[in-house]
Structure formats: structure tokens, C-alpha cells
Amino acid sequence: FLGCSDSDKLLESLERSYSEGRINAVGQGKESAAERVLTTPAHYAYLKIADGCDNFCTYCLIPKIRGRYRSEPMEKLVEQALLTAKKMASKLVQEAQALAQSGVRELVLVAQDTTRYGTDHGESRFVELIRKLSSLENIRSIRLLYCYPDQIDDALIAELKNNPKLVKYLDIPFQHSEDRILKLMNRKGSREDYLALLKKLRENVEGIAVRSTFIAGFPTETEEEAAALGMFLKEAKLTNCGFFAYSREPDTAAYRLKGQIPARVKQRRVKELYGVQAEISRAFLH
């Protein structure tokens, strides 16, 4: 058994298991100790800026698996990040520079929740991080994934508008549109909030593309609420979407909810939502 941060203990644990049997090495490794292996195409790479999650959505085990939200430090490792000898107080910038020197042209920022970067130390530093990464000469573009809607503030929208290196794209996991289901999911915001956010983004960031994900068949979801989600898609006109049937995960709050939806119903609703989005995407292509 190894935890999410114990990859450097894998080979040692395998060797031990031959003579000792079952091995528990959870928590014995060093996070990010292994040398990075890039498996993406040469022109882009993912840059993980945080780990863990504090959102505690009722369908999700990430806080129990990955732990509480932890931003990668920006002040601990002060390294030479630019050839101009300008010191950048950021472990992330140092890694990004190494990626840039290896031929990477686009950084894709990822975390369970990128928009909360820095909040575990008192305040959001997401925009500050974006600006530091943007200062790297070899990096031509930066793409933002997993931006939670309640954390997309005016400062981030302004950065999207004014920073030429930021791709005019956001990945926002809405997960549902109907207020009752969102509350059961322990998701912040409402249908009205989400539509207002999309309107604000489009008014301020010309040509912005928005992708999202949605869960179909959450416990107690009615046919009316499933249909209302389809209507939300038609109103929101998102560029791209992924739809997933609710998966009942043991040890989550939603697992204990009454009113679990049969698998065939969940799959039908997923198919219907993809049908709605296909028409919206076809309109974009024309």
C-alpha cells in the first residue's frame, strides 16, 4: 500500500514485498521526489499548482484521498528563474522555466481547484502566480483548468482580458444547474449565479471559450430537474461539455442518500444531455 505522495517508495516496497509479504508504506515517501517525466506532446505540459481539496462535495472522495487543499509554495525556494538574473520567489516558476527550456510552449495549470491557489495561506494568489508564469519568455500561452465558479472574481476576469499569454478559455466544473441538486451536492452557487458568471465573462473577455462538466442522475434528481439541466445548456451555450452518470462512492455523504437513480435512467439522461450539447456545438462550428 502506498499513498499519493509515495511514488519514490514503489520499487523499494516491491522488493520488500517478495520477502515480507504485504507492505504498508503510506506516508513514508517524499512528495514530488521523483524526477518529472513528460508524457504530453512536446509543445505543452501540465503544471500542478496545488493538491487536495476543501470543497467537500457530497459525491467526492478527493478530500479523504488527497487531503486538505495545499498550494505549492511560492516563497520557500528562491531560485534564478529568468536569464536576466531576476530572482523569482517561486518553486512553480522554477519548474515552469525548466519546462520552457525543454521546448514546452504552453503551460496548462491544474489542481483539484486552481482558483483557490494561496487561500490555504490566507488569501488568493492565483492571479499573482499567473503573472509570474507569464513573465517567462519561452512560454507563449497559459491555459487554466478546474476553475471553480465561486472563485472566479473580477481580478481573474481582468487578467483573462488583459494578459495576452492567457488563453481565452476556462474550464469551469458546474456539475449541475438546479439549485436543489446543487445544494445536495454541497456546491456553492445557483443556476442564476452560473448564468450571471457566463454573461460577465463574455462581456469582458472577447471570444472566451468555456468548457464544463455535469453529473446526471444524482440521487433524487427528478425528470423535471434533468430536463431543466438540458434547458440550462441551451441558455448557457457552453463551448464544450462532458457528462457523467453519478457514481455511488462508498464513504461519501451522497452514498447514504435515499432516492438513488437506476443505472439505465442515469445512462439515458447522460445520452440526452450529450444530444443537447451536440446541437450547441454544431452551431459553434457553423
Coordinates of all heavy atoms in Angstrom, one line a residue, residues 150-236:
D150 N -17.4 29.8 -8.0 CA -17.5 30.8 -6.9 C -16.2 31.5 -6.6 O -16.1 32.5 -5.9 CB -17.9 30.1 -5.6 CG -17.0 29.0 -5.1 OD1 -16.8 28.0 -5.9 OD2 -16.4 29.1 -4.0
Q151 N -15.1 31.1 -7.2 CA -13.8 31.7 -7.0 C -13.3 32.6 -8.2 O -12.2 33.1 -8.2 CB -12.7 30.7 -6.7 CG -12.9 29.9 -5.4 CD -12.7 30.8 -4.2 OE1 -11.7 31.6 -4.1 NE2 -13.7 30.8 -3.2
I152 N -14.1 32.6 -9.2 CA -13.7 33.4 -10.4 C -14.2 34.8 -10.2 O -15.3 35.2 -10.3 CB -14.4 32.9 -11.7 CG1 -14.0 31.4 -11.9 CG2 -14.1 33.7 -12.9 CD1 -14.7 30.7 -13.1
D153 N -13.2 35.7 -9.7 CA -13.5 37.0 -9.3 C -13.1 38.0 -10.4 O -12.6 37.7 -11.5 CB -12.8 37.4 -8.0 CG -11.3 37.1 -8.1 OD1 -10.7 37.0 -9.2 OD2 -10.6 37.1 -7.0
D154 N -13.3 39.3 -10.1 CA -13.0 40.4 -11.1 C -11.6 40.4 -11.4 O -11.2 40.7 -12.6 CB -13.5 41.7 -10.5 CG -15.0 41.9 -10.4 OD1 -15.7 41.1 -11.1 OD2 -15.5 42.8 -9.7
A155 N -10.7 40.1 -10.5 CA -9.2 40.2 -10.7 C -8.9 39.1 -11.8 O -8.1 39.4 -12.7 CB -8.5 40.0 -9.4
L156 N -9.4 37.9 -11.6 CA -9.1 36.9 -12.6 C -9.7 37.2 -14.0 O -9.1 37.0 -15.0 CB -9.6 35.5 -12.1 CG -9.4 34.3 -13.0 CD1 -7.9 34.2 -13.4 CD2 -10.0 33.1 -12.4
I157 N -10.9 37.7 -14.0 CA -11.5 38.1 -15.3 C -10.7 39.2 -16.0 O -10.5 39.1 -17.2 CB -13.0 38.5 -15.0 CG1 -13.8 37.4 -14.6 CG2 -13.6 39.1 -16.3 CD1 -15.2 37.7 -14.1
A158 N -10.3 40.2 -15.2 CA -9.4 41.2 -15.8 C -8.1 40.7 -16.3 O -7.6 41.1 -17.4 CB -9.1 42.3 -14.7
E159 N -7.6 39.7 -15.6 CA -6.3 39.1 -16.1 C -6.6 38.3 -17.4 O -5.7 38.4 -18.4 CB -5.7 38.1 -15.1 CG -4.3 37.7 -15.3 CD -3.3 38.8 -15.2 OE1 -3.6 39.9 -14.6 OE2 -2.2 38.6 -15.7
L160 N -7.7 37.6 -17.5 CA -8.1 36.9 -18.7 C -8.2 37.9 -19.9 O -7.8 37.6 -21.0 CB -9.4 36.2 -18.5 CG -9.3 34.8 -17.9 CD1 -10.6 34.3 -17.4 CD2 -8.7 33.8 -18.9
K161 N -8.8 39.0 -19.6 CA -9.0 40.1 -20.6 C -7.7 40.7 -21.1 O -7.5 40.9 -22.3 CB -9.9 41.1 -20.0 CG -10.2 42.3 -21.0 CD -11.1 43.3 -20.4 CE -11.3 44.5 -21.3 NZ -12.2 45.5 -20.7
N162 N -6.8 41.0 -20.1 CA -5.6 41.9 -20.4 C -4.3 41.1 -20.6 O -3.4 41.7 -21.2 CB -5.5 42.9 -19.3 CG -6.7 43.8 -19.2 OD1 -7.3 44.2 -20.1 ND2 -7.1 44.0 -17.9
N163 N -4.2 39.9 -20.2 CA -3.0 39.2 -20.3 C -2.9 38.4 -21.6 O -3.7 37.5 -21.9 CB -2.8 38.2 -19.2 CG -1.5 37.5 -19.1 OD1 -0.8 37.3 -20.1 ND2 -1.1 37.0 -17.9
P164 N -2.1 38.8 -22.6 CA -2.0 38.2 -23.9 C -1.6 36.8 -23.9 O -1.8 36.0 -24.9 CB -1.1 39.1 -24.7 CG -0.2 39.7 -23.6 CD -1.1 39.9 -22.4
K165 N -0.9 36.3 -22.8 CA -0.5 34.9 -22.8 C -1.5 34.0 -22.2 O -1.4 32.8 -22.4 CB 0.8 34.8 -21.9 CG 2.0 35.4 -22.6 CD 3.3 35.0 -21.9 CE 4.5 35.4 -22.6 NZ 5.8 35.0 -22.0
L166 N -2.6 34.5 -21.6 CA -3.6 33.7 -21.1 C -4.6 33.3 -22.2 O -5.1 34.1 -22.9 CB -4.4 34.4 -20.0 CG -4.0 34.1 -18.6 CD1 -5.1 34.8 -17.6 CD2 -3.9 32.7 -18.3
V167 N -4.7 32.0 -22.5 CA -5.7 31.5 -23.5 C -7.1 31.9 -23.1 O -7.4 31.8 -21.9 CB -5.6 30.0 -23.6 CG1 -6.6 29.5 -24.7 CG2 -4.2 29.6 -24.0
K168 N -7.8 32.4 -24.0 CA -9.2 32.9 -23.7 C -10.1 31.7 -23.5 O -11.0 31.4 -24.4 CB -9.7 33.9 -24.7 CG -8.8 35.0 -25.0 CD -8.3 35.7 -23.8 CE -7.3 36.8 -24.1 NZ -6.5 37.3 -23.0
Y169 N -9.9 31.0 -22.4 CA -10.5 29.7 -22.2 C -10.6 29.4 -20.7 O -9.7 29.7 -20.0 CB -9.7 28.6 -22.9 CG -10.1 27.1 -22.5 CD1 -10.9 26.4 -23.4 CD2 -9.6 26.5 -21.4 CE1 -11.3 25.1 -23.1 CE2 -9.9 25.2 -21.1 CZ -10.8 24.5 -21.9 OH -11.1 23.2 -21.7
L170 N -11.7 28.9 -20.3 CA -11.9 28.5 -18.9 C -12.6 27.1 -18.8 O -13.5 26.9 -19.5 CB -12.7 29.5 -18.0 CG -12.0 30.7 -17.5 CD1 -12.9 31.5 -16.6 CD2 -10.7 30.4 -16.7
D171 N -12.1 26.3 -17.9 CA -12.7 25.0 -17.6 C -13.4 25.2 -16.3 O -12.7 25.4 -15.3 CB -11.7 23.9 -17.6 CG -12.3 22.6 -17.3 OD1 -12.6 22.3 -16.1 OD2 -12.4 21.7 -18.2
I172 N -14.7 25.2 -16.2 CA -15.5 25.5 -15.0 C -16.4 24.3 -14.7 O -17.4 24.1 -15.4 CB -16.3 26.8 -15.2 CG1 -15.5 28.0 -15.7 CG2 -17.0 27.1 -13.8 CD1 -16.3 29.2 -16.0
P173 N -16.1 23.5 -13.7 CA -16.9 22.4 -13.4 C -18.2 22.8 -12.7 O -18.3 22.9 -11.4 CB -16.0 21.5 -12.5 CG -15.1 22.5 -11.8 CD -14.9 23.6 -12.8
F174 N -19.3 23.1 -13.4 CA -20.6 23.5 -12.8 C -21.2 22.3 -12.1 O -21.9 22.4 -11.1 CB -21.5 24.0 -13.9 CG -21.1 25.4 -14.4 CD1 -21.0 25.6 -15.7 CD2 -20.9 26.4 -13.5 CE1 -20.6 26.9 -16.2 CE2 -20.6 27.7 -13.9 CZ -20.4 27.9 -15.3
Q175 N -21.2 21.1 -12.7 CA -21.7 19.8 -12.2 C -23.3 19.7 -12.2 O -23.8 18.6 -12.4 CB -21.2 19.6 -10.8 CG -19.7 19.6 -10.6 CD -19.0 18.6 -11.4 OE1 -19.5 18.0 -12.4 NE2 -17.7 18.3 -11.1
H176 N -24.0 20.8 -12.1 CA -25.4 20.8 -12.3 C -25.9 22.2 -12.4 O -25.1 23.2 -12.2 CB -26.2 20.1 -11.1 CG -27.4 19.3 -11.6 ND1 -28.6 20.0 -11.8 CD2 -27.6 18.0 -11.8 CE1 -29.5 19.1 -12.2 NE2 -29.0 17.9 -12.2
S177 N -27.2 22.4 -12.7 CA -27.7 23.7 -12.8 C -28.8 24.0 -11.8 O -29.1 25.2 -11.6 CB -28.3 23.9 -14.3 OG -29.4 23.0 -14.5
E178 N -29.5 23.0 -11.3 CA -30.7 23.2 -10.5 C -30.3 23.4 -9.0 O -29.5 22.6 -8.4 CB -31.6 22.0 -10.7 CG -32.1 21.9 -12.1 CD -32.5 23.3 -12.7 OE1 -33.6 23.8 -12.3 OE2 -31.8 23.8 -13.5
D179 N -30.9 24.4 -8.4 CA -30.5 24.8 -7.0 C -30.6 23.7 -6.0 O -29.7 23.5 -5.1 CB -31.3 26.0 -6.6 CG -31.0 27.2 -7.4 OD1 -30.2 27.1 -8.4 OD2 -31.6 28.3 -7.2
R180 N -31.7 22.9 -6.1 CA -31.9 21.8 -5.1 C -30.8 20.8 -5.2 O -30.2 20.3 -4.1 CB -33.2 21.2 -5.2 CG -33.6 20.2 -4.1 CD -34.9 19.5 -4.4 NE -34.8 18.5 -5.4 CZ -34.4 17.3 -5.2 NH1 -34.1 16.8 -4.0 NH2 -34.3 16.4 -6.2
I181 N -30.5 20.4 -6.4 CA -29.4 19.4 -6.6 C -28.0 19.9 -6.2 O -27.2 19.3 -5.6 CB -29.4 18.9 -8.0 CG1 -30.7 18.2 -8.4 CG2 -28.2 17.9 -8.3 CD1 -31.0 16.9 -7.6
L182 N -27.8 21.2 -6.6 CA -26.5 21.8 -6.2 C -26.3 21.8 -4.7 O -25.2 21.6 -4.2 CB -26.4 23.2 -6.8 CG -26.2 23.3 -8.3 CD1 -26.5 24.8 -8.8 CD2 -24.8 22.8 -8.7
K183 N -27.4 22.1 -4.0 CA -27.3 22.1 -2.5 C -27.0 20.7 -2.0 O -26.2 20.6 -1.0 CB -28.6 22.7 -1.9 CG -28.6 22.9 -0.4 CD -29.9 23.5 0.1 CE -29.8 23.8 1.6 NZ -31.0 24.4 2.1
L184 N -27.7 19.7 -2.5 CA -27.4 18.3 -2.1 C -26.0 17.9 -2.4 O -25.4 17.1 -1.7 CB -28.4 17.4 -2.8 CG -29.8 17.3 -2.3 CD1 -30.7 16.4 -3.2 CD2 -29.9 16.9 -0.9
M185 N -25.4 18.5 -3.5 CA -24.0 18.2 -3.9 C -23.0 19.0 -3.0 O -21.8 18.7 -3.1 CB -23.8 18.6 -5.3 CG -24.5 17.7 -6.3 SD -24.1 18.3 -8.0 CE -24.7 16.9 -9.0
N186 N -23.5 19.9 -2.2 CA -22.7 20.8 -1.4 C -21.9 21.7 -2.4 O -20.7 22.0 -2.1 CB -21.8 20.1 -0.4 CG -21.2 21.1 0.6 OD1 -21.8 22.0 1.0 ND2 -20.0 20.8 1.0
R187 N -22.5 22.1 -3.5 CA -21.8 23.0 -4.4 C -22.3 24.4 -4.1 O -23.5 24.7 -3.9 CB -22.2 22.6 -5.9 CG -21.8 21.2 -6.3 CD -20.3 21.1 -6.5 NE -19.9 21.9 -7.6 CZ -18.6 21.8 -8.1 NH1 -17.7 21.1 -7.4 NH2 -18.3 22.6 -9.1
K188 N -21.3 25.4 -4.2 CA -21.7 26.8 -4.0 C -22.2 27.4 -5.3 O -21.7 27.1 -6.4 CB -20.4 27.5 -3.5 CG -19.9 27.0 -2.2 CD -18.6 27.8 -1.8 CE -18.1 27.3 -0.4 NZ -17.7 25.9 -0.5
G189 N -23.2 28.3 -5.1 CA -23.8 28.9 -6.3 C -25.1 28.4 -6.7 O -25.6 27.4 -6.1
S190 N -25.7 29.0 -7.7 CA -27.0 28.6 -8.2 C -27.1 28.7 -9.7 O -26.1 29.2 -10.3 CB -28.1 29.5 -7.5 OG -27.9 30.9 -8.0
R191 N -28.2 28.3 -10.2 CA -28.4 28.4 -11.7 C -28.3 29.9 -12.1 O -27.6 30.2 -13.1 CB -29.8 27.9 -12.0 CG -30.2 28.0 -13.5 CD -31.7 27.8 -13.7 NE -32.0 27.7 -15.2 CZ -32.2 26.6 -15.9 NH1 -32.1 25.4 -15.2 NH2 -32.5 26.7 -17.1
E192 N -28.9 30.8 -11.3 CA -28.8 32.2 -11.6 C -27.4 32.7 -11.5 O -26.9 33.5 -12.4 CB -29.7 33.0 -10.6 CG -29.7 34.5 -10.9 CD -30.6 35.2 -9.9 OE1 -31.4 34.6 -9.2 OE2 -30.6 36.5 -9.9
D193 N -26.6 32.3 -10.5 CA -25.2 32.7 -10.4 C -24.4 32.3 -11.6 O -23.6 33.0 -12.1 CB -24.6 32.1 -9.1 CG -25.2 32.6 -7.8 OD1 -25.8 33.8 -7.9 OD2 -25.2 31.9 -6.8
Y194 N -24.6 31.0 -12.0 CA -23.8 30.5 -13.1 C -24.1 31.2 -14.4 O -23.1 31.6 -15.2 CB -24.1 29.0 -13.3 CG -23.6 28.1 -12.1 CD1 -24.0 26.8 -12.0 CD2 -22.8 28.6 -11.1 CE1 -23.6 26.0 -10.9 CE2 -22.4 27.9 -10.0 CZ -22.8 26.5 -10.0 OH -22.4 25.8 -8.9
L195 N -25.3 31.5 -14.7 CA -25.7 32.3 -15.9 C -25.1 33.7 -15.8 O -24.6 34.2 -16.9 CB -27.2 32.3 -16.1 CG -27.8 30.9 -16.5 CD1 -29.3 31.0 -16.5 CD2 -27.3 30.4 -17.8
A196 N -25.2 34.3 -14.7 CA -24.6 35.6 -14.5 C -23.1 35.6 -14.7 O -22.5 36.6 -15.3 CB -25.0 36.2 -13.1
L197 N -22.4 34.6 -14.2 CA -21.0 34.5 -14.4 C -20.6 34.4 -15.9 O -19.7 35.0 -16.4 CB -20.4 33.3 -13.6 CG -19.0 33.0 -13.8 CD1 -18.1 34.1 -13.4 CD2 -18.6 31.7 -13.1
L198 N -21.4 33.5 -16.6 CA -21.1 33.3 -18.0 C -21.3 34.6 -18.8 O -20.5 35.0 -19.7 CB -22.0 32.2 -18.6 CG -21.6 30.8 -18.1 CD1 -22.8 29.8 -18.5 CD2 -20.3 30.3 -18.7
K199 N -22.4 35.3 -18.4 CA -22.6 36.6 -19.1 C -21.5 37.6 -18.8 O -21.0 38.3 -19.7 CB -24.0 37.2 -18.5 CG -24.4 38.5 -19.2 CD -25.8 38.9 -18.7 CE -26.4 40.1 -19.4 NZ -25.6 41.3 -19.0
K200 N -21.0 37.7 -17.6 CA -19.9 38.6 -17.2 C -18.7 38.2 -18.0 O -17.9 39.1 -18.5 CB -19.7 38.5 -15.7 CG -18.8 39.6 -15.2 CD -18.8 39.6 -13.7 CE -18.0 40.7 -13.1 NZ -18.0 40.7 -11.6
L201 N -18.4 36.9 -18.1 CA -17.2 36.5 -18.8 C -17.2 36.9 -20.2 O -16.2 37.5 -20.8 CB -17.0 35.0 -18.7 CG -16.5 34.5 -17.3 CD1 -16.6 33.0 -17.2 CD2 -15.0 34.9 -17.1
R202 N -18.4 36.7 -20.9 CA -18.5 37.0 -22.3 C -18.5 38.5 -22.6 O -18.0 39.0 -23.6 CB -19.7 36.4 -22.8 CG -19.6 34.8 -23.0 CD -20.9 34.1 -23.1 NE -20.6 32.7 -23.3 CZ -21.5 31.7 -23.0 NH1 -22.7 32.0 -22.5 NH2 -21.2 30.5 -23.2
E203 N -19.0 39.3 -21.6 CA -19.0 40.7 -21.8 C -17.6 41.3 -21.6 O -17.3 42.4 -22.2 CB -19.9 41.4 -20.7 CG -21.4 41.2 -21.0 CD -22.3 41.7 -19.9 OE1 -21.8 42.0 -18.8 OE2 -23.5 41.8 -20.1
N204 N -16.7 40.7 -20.8 CA -15.4 41.2 -20.5 C -14.3 40.6 -21.3 O -13.2 41.2 -21.5 CB -15.1 41.1 -19.0 CG -15.9 42.1 -18.2 OD1 -15.5 43.2 -18.0 ND2 -17.1 41.6 -17.7
V205 N -14.4 39.3 -21.7 CA -13.3 38.6 -22.4 C -13.8 38.2 -23.8 O -14.5 37.2 -23.9 CB -12.9 37.4 -21.6 CG1 -11.6 36.8 -22.2 CG2 -12.6 37.8 -20.1
E206 N -13.5 39.0 -24.8 CA -14.0 38.7 -26.1 C -13.5 37.3 -26.6 O -12.4 36.9 -26.5 CB -13.4 39.8 -27.1 CG -14.0 39.7 -28.5 CD -13.5 40.8 -29.4 OE1 -12.7 41.6 -28.9 OE2 -13.8 40.7 -30.6
G207 N -14.5 36.6 -27.1 CA -14.2 35.3 -27.7 C -13.9 34.2 -26.8 O -13.4 33.1 -27.2
I208 N -14.2 34.4 -25.5 CA -13.8 33.3 -24.5 C -14.6 32.0 -24.8 O -15.8 32.0 -25.1 CB -14.1 33.8 -23.0 CG1 -13.4 32.8 -22.0 CG2 -15.5 34.0 -22.8 CD1 -13.4 33.3 -20.6
A209 N -13.9 30.9 -24.6 CA -14.5 29.6 -24.7 C -14.6 29.0 -23.3 O -13.7 29.1 -22.5 CB -13.7 28.7 -25.6
V210 N -15.7 28.4 -23.0 CA -16.0 27.8 -21.6 C -16.3 26.4 -21.8 O -17.3 26.0 -22.5 CB -17.1 28.6 -20.9 CG1 -17.3 27.9 -19.5 CG2 -16.7 30.1 -20.7
R211 N -15.6 25.5 -21.1 CA -15.9 24.1 -21.0 C -16.4 23.8 -19.6 O -16.0 24.4 -18.7 CB -14.7 23.3 -21.4 CG -15.0 21.7 -21.3 CD -13.7 20.9 -21.3 NE -14.0 19.5 -21.2 CZ -14.2 18.8 -20.1 NH1 -14.1 19.5 -18.9 NH2 -14.5 17.5 -20.1
S212 N -17.3 22.8 -19.5 CA -17.7 22.4 -18.2 C -18.0 20.9 -18.1 O -18.0 20.2 -19.1 CB -19.0 23.2 -17.8 OG -19.3 23.0 -16.4
T213 N -18.3 20.4 -16.9 CA -18.7 19.0 -16.7 C -20.0 19.0 -15.9 O -20.2 19.9 -15.0 CB -17.6 18.2 -16.0 OG1 -17.2 19.0 -14.8 CG2 -16.4 18.0 -16.8
F214 N -20.8 18.0 -16.1 CA -22.1 17.8 -15.4 C -22.3 16.4 -15.0 O -21.9 15.5 -15.7 CB -23.2 18.3 -16.3 CG -23.2 19.8 -16.6 CD1 -22.5 20.2 -17.7 CD2 -23.8 20.7 -15.8 CE1 -22.4 21.6 -18.0 CE2 -23.7 22.0 -16.0 CZ -23.1 22.5 -17.2
I215 N -22.9 16.2 -13.8 CA -23.3 14.9 -13.3 C -24.8 14.6 -13.6 O -25.6 15.5 -13.1 CB -23.0 14.7 -11.8 CG1 -21.5 14.9 -11.6 CG2 -23.5 13.4 -11.3 CD1 -21.1 14.9 -10.2
A216 N -25.1 13.6 -14.2 CA -26.5 13.2 -14.5 C -26.9 12.1 -13.5 O -26.1 11.2 -13.2 CB -26.7 12.8 -15.9
G217 N -28.2 12.2 -13.0 CA -28.7 11.1 -12.2 C -28.2 11.1 -10.8 O -28.1 10.1 -10.1
F218 N -27.9 12.3 -10.3 CA -27.6 12.4 -8.8 C -28.8 12.0 -8.0 O -29.9 12.1 -8.5 CB -27.2 13.9 -8.5 CG -26.6 14.1 -7.1 CD1 -25.3 13.8 -6.9 CD2 -27.4 14.5 -6.1 CE1 -24.7 13.9 -5.6 CE2 -26.8 14.7 -4.8 CZ -25.5 14.4 -4.6
P219 N -28.6 11.4 -6.8 CA -29.7 10.9 -6.1 C -30.8 11.9 -5.9 O -30.6 13.1 -5.6 CB -29.1 10.6 -4.7 CG -27.7 10.2 -5.0 CD -27.3 11.1 -6.2
T220 N -32.0 11.4 -6.1 CA -33.3 12.2 -6.1 C -33.5 13.1 -7.2 O -34.6 13.8 -7.3 CB -33.5 13.0 -4.7 OG1 -32.7 14.2 -4.8 CG2 -33.1 12.2 -3.5
E221 N -32.6 13.2 -8.2 CA -32.8 14.0 -9.4 C -34.1 13.6 -10.1 O -34.2 12.4 -10.5 CB -31.6 14.0 -10.3 CG -31.8 14.9 -11.6 CD -30.7 14.6 -12.6 OE1 -30.6 13.4 -13.1 OE2 -29.9 15.5 -12.9
T222 N -35.0 14.5 -10.3 CA -36.3 14.2 -10.9 C -36.2 14.3 -12.5 O -35.2 14.9 -13.0 CB -37.4 15.1 -10.5 OG1 -37.1 16.5 -10.9 CG2 -37.6 15.1 -8.9
E223 N -37.1 13.8 -13.2 CA -37.1 14.0 -14.6 C -37.2 15.5 -15.0 O -36.6 16.0 -16.0 CB -38.3 13.2 -15.3 CG -38.2 11.7 -15.2 CD -37.1 11.2 -16.1 OE1 -36.6 12.0 -17.0 OE2 -36.6 10.1 -15.9
E224 N -38.0 16.2 -14.2 CA -38.1 17.7 -14.4 C -36.8 18.4 -14.2 O -36.4 19.3 -15.0 CB -39.1 18.3 -13.5 CG -40.6 17.9 -13.8 CD -40.9 16.5 -13.3 OE1 -40.1 15.9 -12.5 OE2 -41.9 15.9 -13.8
E225 N -36.0 18.0 -13.2 CA -34.7 18.6 -13.0 C -33.7 18.2 -14.1 O -32.8 19.0 -14.5 CB -34.2 18.2 -11.6 CG -34.9 19.0 -10.5 CD -34.6 18.4 -9.1 OE1 -34.4 17.2 -9.0 OE2 -34.7 19.2 -8.1
A226 N -33.8 17.0 -14.5 CA -32.9 16.5 -15.6 C -33.2 17.3 -16.9 O -32.3 17.8 -17.6 CB -33.1 15.0 -15.9
A227 N -34.5 17.6 -17.2 CA -34.9 18.4 -18.3 C -34.4 19.8 -18.2 O -34.0 20.5 -19.1 CB -36.4 18.3 -18.5
A228 N -34.5 20.3 -16.9 CA -34.1 21.7 -16.7 C -32.6 21.9 -16.9 O -32.2 23.0 -17.3 CB -34.5 22.1 -15.2
L229 N -31.8 20.9 -16.6 CA -30.4 20.9 -16.9 C -30.2 21.0 -18.4 O -29.3 21.8 -18.9 CB -29.7 19.7 -16.3 CG -28.2 19.5 -16.6 CD1 -27.4 20.8 -16.3 CD2 -27.6 18.3 -15.9
G230 N -31.0 20.3 -19.2 CA -30.9 20.5 -20.6 C -31.2 21.9 -21.1 O -30.6 22.4 -22.0
M231 N -32.2 22.5 -20.5 CA -32.6 23.8 -20.8 C -31.5 24.8 -20.4 O -31.2 25.8 -21.1 CB -33.9 24.2 -20.1 CG -35.1 23.4 -20.6 SD -35.4 23.6 -22.4 CE -35.7 25.3 -22.5
F232 N -30.8 24.5 -19.3 CA -29.7 25.4 -18.9 C -28.6 25.4 -19.9 O -28.0 26.4 -20.3 CB -29.1 24.9 -17.5 CG -27.9 25.5 -17.1 CD1 -27.9 26.7 -16.4 CD2 -26.6 24.9 -17.4 CE1 -26.7 27.4 -16.1 CE2 -25.4 25.6 -17.0 CZ -25.5 26.8 -16.3
L233 N -28.3 24.2 -20.5 CA -27.3 24.1 -21.5 C -27.6 24.9 -22.7 O -26.8 25.6 -23.3 CB -27.1 22.6 -22.0 CG -26.6 21.6 -20.9 CD1 -26.6 20.2 -21.5 CD2 -25.2 22.0 -20.5
K234 N -28.9 24.9 -23.1 CA -29.3 25.7 -24.2 C -29.2 27.2 -24.0 O -28.9 28.0 -24.9 CB -30.8 25.4 -24.6 CG -31.0 24.0 -25.1 CD -32.5 23.7 -25.4 CE -32.6 22.3 -25.9 NZ -34.1 22.0 -26.2
E235 N -29.4 27.6 -22.7 CA -29.3 29.0 -22.4 C -27.8 29.4 -22.2 O -27.4 30.5 -22.6 CB -30.0 29.3 -21.1 CG -30.2 30.8 -20.8 CD -31.1 31.1 -19.6 OE1 -31.8 30.1 -19.1 OE2 -31.2 32.2 -19.2
A236 N -27.0 28.5 -21.6 CA -25.6 28.8 -21.3 C -24.7 28.8 -22.5 O -23.8 29.6 -22.6 CB -25.1 27.8 -20.3

